[in-house]
Amino acid sequence: MGPPSDAGSKTRGRARRAPHIHKFVIETTKEIRASCVPTGDYTRARSLIDALLTRGMRPTLVTANCLIQCYVTAGLADEAKHVLDEMEDRWGLAADSYSHNLVLRALCNAGRDADADRVL
């Protein structure tokens, strides 16, 4: 008897795809990462995310982390920390360790070690 049949399987011989993410969300995330993160342009990043929300789409975890990175680059620790709450409350996303590390970096860069300890 041979191996089980893969008949009808669209993933035969290749990895399964991640859940569908709208192309506009992906393109928006790429734009934030390429043009906003390096300069800390949180205003533009926020505007691009608002455009997603207006279209009825939600940012991904990567999109949210890019927004946090913008605030870190701009030296705005409180705003970076606020995005953690916004991710869960508004966008239904759970922050990951990278999200928390970004906020910790922002707080430490601002000399707010005690606040960083509270985040831990």
Side-chain angles (χ1 to χ4, degrees), residues 20-42:
H20 177 73
I21 299 173
H22 196 280
K23 184 178 179 178
F24 186 70
V25 176
I26 295 168
E27 294 302 319
T28 298
T29 302
K30 286 180 180 179
E31 185 172 347
I32 293 170
R33 179 179 281 164
S35 66
C36 302
V37 170
T39 61
D41 190 355
Y42 59 87

Side-chain angles (χ1 to χ4, degrees), residues 6-86:
D6 283 333
S9 172
K10 293 183 179 184
T11 61
R12 182 178 175 190
R14 61 183 193 269
R16 292 183 185 265
R17 288 184 177 186
H20 177 73
I21 299 173
H22 196 280
K23 184 178 179 178
F24 186 70
V25 176
I26 295 168
E27 294 302 319
T28 298
T29 302
K30 286 180 180 179
E31 185 172 347
I32 293 170
R33 179 179 281 164
S35 66
C36 302
V37 170
T39 61
D41 190 355
Y42 59 87
T43 303
R44 178 156 168 68
R46 180 62 76 176
S47 172
L48 290 166
I49 290 172
D50 287 344
L52 287 179
L53 296 169
T54 299
R55 289 179 168 210
M57 298 175 209
R58 289 186 309 173
T60 65
L61 179 60
V62 174
T63 314
N65 283 341
C66 286
L67 178 59
I68 294 171
Q69 284 180 303
C70 288
Y71 285 123
V72 172
T73 302
L76 299 170
D78 287 330
E79 288 79 355
K81 191 174 177 224
H82 175 73
V83 175
L84 291 179
D85 296 328
E86 186 174 18

Side-chain angles (χ1 to χ4, degrees), residues 85-104:
D85 296 328
E86 186 174 18
M87 287 169 64
E88 186 173 313
D89 297 342
R90 284 188 64 197
W91 304 335
L93 298 171
D96 63 1
S97 60
Y98 186 68
S99 311
H100 289 284
N101 282 328
L102 287 169
V103 171
L104 289 171

